[in-house]
Amino acid sequence: MNALPAVDRNALLARLREILPADGLIEDQESQRPFECDGLSLYRELPIAVALPDTVEQIQAILRCCHSLQVPVVARGSGTGLCAGAMPHPEGLLLGLSKLNRIIEIDAQARSARVQPGVTNLAISQAAAPHGLYYGPDPSSQIACSIGGNVAENSGGVHCLKYGLTTHNLLAVDMLTVEGDKITLGGAGLDSPGYDLLALITGSEGLLGIVTEVTVKLLPQPELARVVMAGFGSVRAAGDAVGAVIAAGIIPAGLEMMDALAISAAEDFANAGYPRDAQALLLCELDGTEQEVEQHIAAVREIFTDHGATSIRVSADEAERALLWQGRKSAFPAVGRLSPDYYCMDGTIPRSQVAHVLEEIARLSAQYGLRCANVFHAGDGNLHPLIMFDGGCPDEIARAEKFGADILELSVAVGGCITGEHGVGVEKLAQMQSQFSEAELHQLEDIKQAFDPGLTLNPGKGIPILKRCQEYRSLPGRHGHG
Amino acid sequence: MDMADRTEALREAVAAACADASPLYIRGGDSKRKLIGRDCEATPLDIGGHSGIIDYQPDELVLSARAGTPLVALADALAEYGQTLPFEPPQLQGSATLGGTLACNLSGPARPWLGSIRDAVLGVQLINGRAQTLDFGGKVMKNVAGYDVSRLQAGALGTLGVITAVHCKVLPLPAATLTLAYDMPAAAAISTMCTRALESRPLTGACWLEGRLYLRLAGAENAVRHTASLWGGEQVDDSIWAQLRELQHPLFEGGEPLWRLSCAPNTPHIAQLTRAIDWGGAVRWLQGDVRTLNLPAGAHLTLFQGGDRSSEVRGRLDPVQQQLQRRIKQAFDPAGIFNPGRLYSWI
């Protein structure tokens, strides 16, 4: 029922030229190249055209046009996503929202900011800083990633255990439906009228609508933040220490773990003073009032000592805190120096399973003959194994993909999930079927159809298409490895 | 406590209701029938017997329980490990259940700082209108696979399915709690609440009742004590928060309709109508000729308690949203058997 008519490219382009200024429409393939993939460059595709609107009215006109022609629309923010969620559709339009980059209003007394979707995550905190406020979620890509993309992916970061994910830090979004109708979800207060569609939109990967404005909550900047770094002789000891911190009633602002390979890669890159002899490293940040931080630092130091920490260092000032984080924050590029390519996984597991899962990953690493470094949001159980491979070698690509799939299935098997914060996109479609039953996938598909009956918003991503739409123009085998 | 897994029996009851399109009124502890939603006439489906903690891992900060589990039972189990449901749900004389709390998205005075159950829920199991038992989300803190069906249940008043189990995040109990009170008119109280909330201090409650502003500090002991010394005011006992949370303050007594306005915290004081202010300014409890009020931008008004509960009790949605909400209802409950009319007359 959903086989779409072949797209009339000329008709589409003619109408888009009427809507957009010349520099807002990219038709030639060479200029489209920068848009062929997001941060997961394994998956690439070129669209019919790239639209770069600079007003909400233009977006509305584009959506109406695409809806009438039944042309797929893929939204893109900054293109930093890690699941190919923003990979273009070969017979669709790529809708880039980066020109909508205005901070509309900061209401300090209400602790909120109204911004356009293309504003970067970090820019919100910078604009809020003069008021002593900041925006909580801080994905590693926060310099570049857009708030619209954060909404689409329900992005996290290193501070989510205490401050939550994107979904906990939104008040409202303005959204255009697939038909181009404007609605506001959420509001100025905390209650929703009717169903909480704001919750449903957050993390929906551009499958339900196009976000044109976001109102975020702002938090007071903590008076003080300090980080405790500790090395451990085993992953298990570090994992137990994490559990003990939580059991002691302390919720750290950030709690990160790295394994031996990640420690040495990060140390080579950042010279942060990480203990190279350690098998596992914990970075535990405490924030709040001065009194609270001092009390918690003392408690955490004692817990780490009791759990056999081989070294402990506490940041004395902001410069040292930044240095200690520098290693962790540069872990991805640091691993990038060890290998031509790496593939970042995103499973989330119950924290008690970390030692078991890391042992299994080590076994799989040997089995597939590929190295794997592990960085881990230990506080909330979100694991980022970085599988190293050579993208120039098709066999290594195939092994890396299989290795990654095994890790995701392992995450589900121990009671976790296939993606904590990076999203499903194209990448994890196959694993959705290990996490969800067919009835559950049908329910998800019914939600999709409630918003987008013609299935033209970001088709082929997020939710595997099961029954009604097999003939739909999907992408099997069409992604080129790069 | 009656501890039993009745998931399959509930599913069969839903299947039977589906088969003859016979609507169901989903009932946990029957504590909120006269609150929040519209009246609903349908055959009761009792969840109360479907109770018990399924799993609780204190050092994972995660608790899973069947929907009919009374909140008091959860509070007891959590207190043993020094933990709590951070969203302070009303226990309503012991009758409130976990499932009903999620369906109504009811939370206490800490909402702006510690969130509601909408923020704490990690996963649900529910029976949809096709009598299928489905699991969404999970027991881990971060999970972005699939749409967030778990949070969608918060405030849906049971109209999308029978919630059978809830997984949610819990937090440590604060080491110390202290309440400060100040005699102050409402407008000044709103301004003080908003200004205090800009500071990085352990503030977890800010309300105004009968000419008094109350601020609650909760967290590490020395941080609470130090903040109290900076902020002054009169130190009073903590009972005001329990009264608000449990809807036991005189505000909630008497038969007069009580409206809840959800708004930006710095919304100017609404004289004449305001009986109380909570959530640091983000909730105004109103009484009187409320329907004539010019709503502040982005605010939502609900007839919380009393009044005419056969008419709509919450604000009108624009036609696009109304259609979308109707389609969401149909996606879960095509035959319209769950709590018909409880949320809106047309859902």
Short mmCIF file of all heavy atoms in Angstrom, two decimals, chain A residues 163-197:
data_model
loop_
_atom_site.label_atom_id
_atom_site.label_comp_id
_atom_site.label_asym_id
_atom_site.label_seq_id
_atom_site.Cartn_x
_atom_site.Cartn_y
_atom_site.Cartn_z
N TYR A 163 21.93 15.03 36.07
CA TYR A 163 21.15 16.11 35.44
C TYR A 163 20.24 15.65 34.32
O TYR A 163 19.52 16.46 33.74
CB TYR A 163 22.10 17.22 34.97
CG TYR A 163 22.82 17.85 36.13
CD1 TYR A 163 24.18 17.65 36.34
CD2 TYR A 163 22.12 18.61 37.06
CE1 TYR A 163 24.83 18.21 37.44
CE2 TYR A 163 22.76 19.17 38.16
CZ TYR A 163 24.11 18.97 38.34
OH TYR A 163 24.74 19.52 39.43
N GLY A 164 20.27 14.36 34.00
CA GLY A 164 19.30 13.84 33.05
C GLY A 164 19.72 13.98 31.60
O GLY A 164 20.76 14.56 31.27
N LEU A 165 18.85 13.43 30.74
CA LEU A 165 19.05 13.45 29.30
C LEU A 165 18.32 14.66 28.73
O LEU A 165 17.68 15.41 29.46
CB LEU A 165 18.48 12.16 28.71
CG LEU A 165 18.99 10.88 29.34
CD1 LEU A 165 18.05 9.73 29.05
CD2 LEU A 165 20.38 10.57 28.81
N THR A 166 18.36 14.77 27.41
CA THR A 166 17.63 15.86 26.76
C THR A 166 16.16 15.88 27.21
O THR A 166 15.62 16.93 27.54
CB THR A 166 17.71 15.71 25.23
OG1 THR A 166 19.09 15.66 24.85
CG2 THR A 166 17.05 16.88 24.52
N THR A 167 15.55 14.70 27.26
CA THR A 167 14.11 14.63 27.59
C THR A 167 13.78 15.23 28.95
O THR A 167 12.67 15.71 29.17
CB THR A 167 13.60 13.17 27.50
OG1 THR A 167 12.18 13.16 27.53
CG2 THR A 167 14.13 12.29 28.62
N HIS A 168 14.74 15.23 29.87
CA HIS A 168 14.50 15.81 31.20
C HIS A 168 14.73 17.31 31.23
O HIS A 168 14.48 17.96 32.23
CB HIS A 168 15.44 15.16 32.23
CG HIS A 168 15.28 13.69 32.33
ND1 HIS A 168 16.20 12.80 31.81
CD2 HIS A 168 14.29 12.93 32.85
CE1 HIS A 168 15.79 11.57 32.04
NE2 HIS A 168 14.64 11.62 32.66
N ASN A 169 15.26 17.84 30.15
CA ASN A 169 15.69 19.24 30.17
C ASN A 169 14.99 20.10 29.12
O ASN A 169 15.49 21.13 28.74
CB ASN A 169 17.22 19.29 29.98
CG ASN A 169 17.95 18.80 31.23
OD1 ASN A 169 18.11 19.54 32.19
ND2 ASN A 169 18.35 17.55 31.24
N LEU A 170 13.83 19.63 28.66
CA LEU A 170 13.05 20.39 27.69
C LEU A 170 11.77 20.89 28.32
O LEU A 170 11.17 20.19 29.15
CB LEU A 170 12.66 19.50 26.51
CG LEU A 170 13.77 18.92 25.64
CD1 LEU A 170 13.16 18.04 24.55
CD2 LEU A 170 14.61 20.02 25.03
N LEU A 171 11.34 22.06 27.92
CA LEU A 171 10.02 22.54 28.32
C LEU A 171 9.03 22.45 27.16
O LEU A 171 7.87 22.12 27.35
CB LEU A 171 10.10 24.00 28.79
CG LEU A 171 10.65 24.22 30.19
CD1 LEU A 171 10.90 25.70 30.43
CD2 LEU A 171 9.67 23.69 31.25
N ALA A 172 9.49 22.79 25.97
CA ALA A 172 8.57 22.82 24.82
C ALA A 172 9.34 22.71 23.52
O ALA A 172 10.53 23.05 23.47
CB ALA A 172 7.76 24.11 24.84
N VAL A 173 8.67 22.24 22.49
CA VAL A 173 9.21 22.38 21.14
C VAL A 173 8.08 22.85 20.22
O VAL A 173 6.92 22.50 20.42
CB VAL A 173 9.80 21.07 20.55
CG1 VAL A 173 10.91 20.51 21.41
CG2 VAL A 173 8.74 20.03 20.31
N ASP A 174 8.45 23.65 19.24
CA ASP A 174 7.57 23.93 18.11
C ASP A 174 7.94 22.93 17.05
O ASP A 174 9.13 22.70 16.79
CB ASP A 174 7.78 25.34 17.56
CG ASP A 174 7.10 26.39 18.44
OD1 ASP A 174 6.44 26.01 19.42
OD2 ASP A 174 7.25 27.58 18.13
N MET A 175 6.93 22.34 16.45
CA MET A 175 7.19 21.30 15.48
C MET A 175 6.29 21.48 14.29
O MET A 175 5.15 21.93 14.41
CB MET A 175 6.90 19.95 16.15
CG MET A 175 7.30 18.76 15.34
SD MET A 175 6.74 17.23 16.15
CE MET A 175 5.19 16.98 15.29
N LEU A 176 6.82 21.15 13.11
CA LEU A 176 5.97 21.09 11.92
C LEU A 176 5.67 19.62 11.66
O LEU A 176 6.57 18.78 11.69
CB LEU A 176 6.68 21.71 10.72
CG LEU A 176 6.90 23.22 10.78
CD1 LEU A 176 7.80 23.68 9.64
CD2 LEU A 176 5.57 23.96 10.74
N THR A 177 4.40 19.33 11.41
CA THR A 177 4.03 17.95 11.07
C THR A 177 4.46 17.69 9.62
O THR A 177 4.84 18.61 8.90
CB THR A 177 2.51 17.75 11.17
OG1 THR A 177 1.90 18.58 10.18
CG2 THR A 177 1.99 18.12 12.56
N VAL A 178 4.34 16.44 9.23
CA VAL A 178 4.72 16.08 7.86
C VAL A 178 3.90 16.89 6.85
O VAL A 178 4.38 17.19 5.76
CB VAL A 178 4.59 14.56 7.65
CG1 VAL A 178 3.13 14.12 7.67
CG2 VAL A 178 5.26 14.13 6.35
N GLU A 179 2.69 17.28 7.24
CA GLU A 179 1.85 18.08 6.34
C GLU A 179 2.25 19.55 6.36
O GLU A 179 1.69 20.35 5.61
CB GLU A 179 0.37 17.97 6.74
CG GLU A 179 -0.24 16.58 6.61
CD GLU A 179 -0.12 15.76 7.88
OE1 GLU A 179 0.47 16.25 8.88
OE2 GLU A 179 -0.59 14.60 7.89
N GLY A 180 3.17 19.93 7.25
CA GLY A 180 3.59 21.32 7.33
C GLY A 180 2.76 22.15 8.30
O GLY A 180 2.84 23.37 8.31
N ASP A 181 1.98 21.51 9.15
CA ASP A 181 1.20 22.24 10.15
C ASP A 181 2.03 22.46 11.40
O ASP A 181 2.72 21.54 11.88
CB ASP A 181 -0.07 21.46 10.52
CG ASP A 181 -1.03 21.37 9.35
OD1 ASP A 181 -1.11 22.33 8.57
OD2 ASP A 181 -1.68 20.31 9.20
N LYS A 182 1.92 23.66 11.97
CA LYS A 182 2.75 23.99 13.13
C LYS A 182 2.01 23.67 14.43
O LYS A 182 0.85 24.04 14.60
CB LYS A 182 3.08 25.49 13.08
CG LYS A 182 4.10 25.90 14.13
CD LYS A 182 4.43 27.38 14.00
CE LYS A 182 4.95 27.89 15.32
NZ LYS A 182 5.13 29.32 15.36
N ILE A 183 2.70 22.98 15.34
CA ILE A 183 2.13 22.74 16.67
C ILE A 183 3.19 23.01 17.73
O ILE A 183 4.39 22.95 17.45
CB ILE A 183 1.59 21.29 16.84
CG1 ILE A 183 2.66 20.27 16.49
CG2 ILE A 183 0.35 21.07 16.02
CD1 ILE A 183 2.22 18.83 16.72
N THR A 184 2.72 23.32 18.93
CA THR A 184 3.64 23.47 20.06
C THR A 184 3.37 22.34 21.03
O THR A 184 2.23 22.10 21.43
CB THR A 184 3.40 24.82 20.77
OG1 THR A 184 3.65 25.86 19.83
CG2 THR A 184 4.34 24.99 21.95
N LEU A 185 4.42 21.62 21.39
CA LEU A 185 4.30 20.52 22.36
C LEU A 185 4.98 20.96 23.65
O LEU A 185 6.05 21.56 23.62
CB LEU A 185 4.98 19.26 21.81
CG LEU A 185 4.51 18.82 20.43
CD1 LEU A 185 5.30 17.60 19.96
CD2 LEU A 185 3.03 18.51 20.43
N GLY A 186 4.36 20.65 24.78
CA GLY A 186 4.89 21.13 26.06
C GLY A 186 4.37 22.54 26.31
O GLY A 186 3.34 22.94 25.77
N GLY A 187 5.07 23.30 27.12
CA GLY A 187 4.59 24.64 27.42
C GLY A 187 5.56 25.36 28.33
O GLY A 187 6.71 24.93 28.50
N ALA A 188 5.09 26.44 28.95
CA ALA A 188 5.95 27.21 29.83
C ALA A 188 6.10 26.54 31.19
O ALA A 188 7.08 26.74 31.90
CB ALA A 188 5.37 28.61 30.00
N GLY A 189 5.10 25.74 31.55
CA GLY A 189 5.14 25.04 32.83
C GLY A 189 5.56 23.59 32.65
O GLY A 189 6.12 23.22 31.62
N LEU A 190 5.27 22.77 33.65
CA LEU A 190 5.78 21.40 33.65
C LEU A 190 4.73 20.37 33.25
O LEU A 190 5.08 19.25 32.90
CB LEU A 190 6.36 21.06 35.03
CG LEU A 190 7.50 22.00 35.46
CD1 LEU A 190 7.82 21.82 36.94
CD2 LEU A 190 8.75 21.78 34.62
N ASP A 191 3.45 20.74 33.29
CA ASP A 191 2.39 19.80 32.89
C ASP A 191 2.14 19.88 31.38
O ASP A 191 2.38 20.91 30.78
CB ASP A 191 1.06 20.17 33.58
CG ASP A 191 1.07 19.82 35.05
OD1 ASP A 191 1.92 19.02 35.47
OD2 ASP A 191 0.21 20.35 35.79
N SER A 192 1.63 18.79 30.82
CA SER A 192 1.21 18.77 29.42
C SER A 192 -0.30 18.65 29.38
O SER A 192 -0.87 17.91 30.17
CB SER A 192 1.76 17.54 28.71
OG SER A 192 3.04 17.74 28.27
N PRO A 193 -0.98 19.28 28.42
CA PRO A 193 -2.40 18.96 28.23
C PRO A 193 -2.45 17.72 27.36
O PRO A 193 -1.70 17.58 26.41
CB PRO A 193 -2.91 20.17 27.47
CG PRO A 193 -1.74 20.70 26.72
CD PRO A 193 -0.49 20.27 27.46
N GLY A 194 -3.30 16.77 27.70
CA GLY A 194 -3.39 15.58 26.86
C GLY A 194 -2.14 14.73 26.93
O GLY A 194 -1.40 14.77 27.91
N TYR A 195 -1.90 13.99 25.86
CA TYR A 195 -0.74 13.11 25.85
C TYR A 195 0.55 13.92 25.79
O TYR A 195 0.61 14.97 25.16
CB TYR A 195 -0.81 12.17 24.65
CG TYR A 195 -1.99 11.24 24.68
CD1 TYR A 195 -2.84 11.11 23.59
CD2 TYR A 195 -2.27 10.49 25.81
CE1 TYR A 195 -3.94 10.26 23.63
CE2 TYR A 195 -3.36 9.64 25.86
CZ TYR A 195 -4.19 9.53 24.77
OH TYR A 195 -5.27 8.68 24.82
N ASP A 196 1.57 13.38 26.42
CA ASP A 196 2.86 14.06 26.48
C ASP A 196 3.63 13.77 25.18
O ASP A 196 4.55 12.96 25.14
CB ASP A 196 3.64 13.54 27.70
CG ASP A 196 4.89 14.37 27.97
OD1 ASP A 196 5.32 15.12 27.07
OD2 ASP A 196 5.44 14.25 29.08
N LEU A 197 3.22 14.48 24.13
CA LEU A 197 3.85 14.24 22.83
C LEU A 197 5.28 14.76 22.81
O LEU A 197 6.09 14.32 22.00
CB LEU A 197 3.02 14.88 21.71
CG LEU A 197 1.59 14.33 21.56
CD1 LEU A 197 0.93 14.94 20.32
CD2 LEU A 197 1.56 12.82 21.48
#
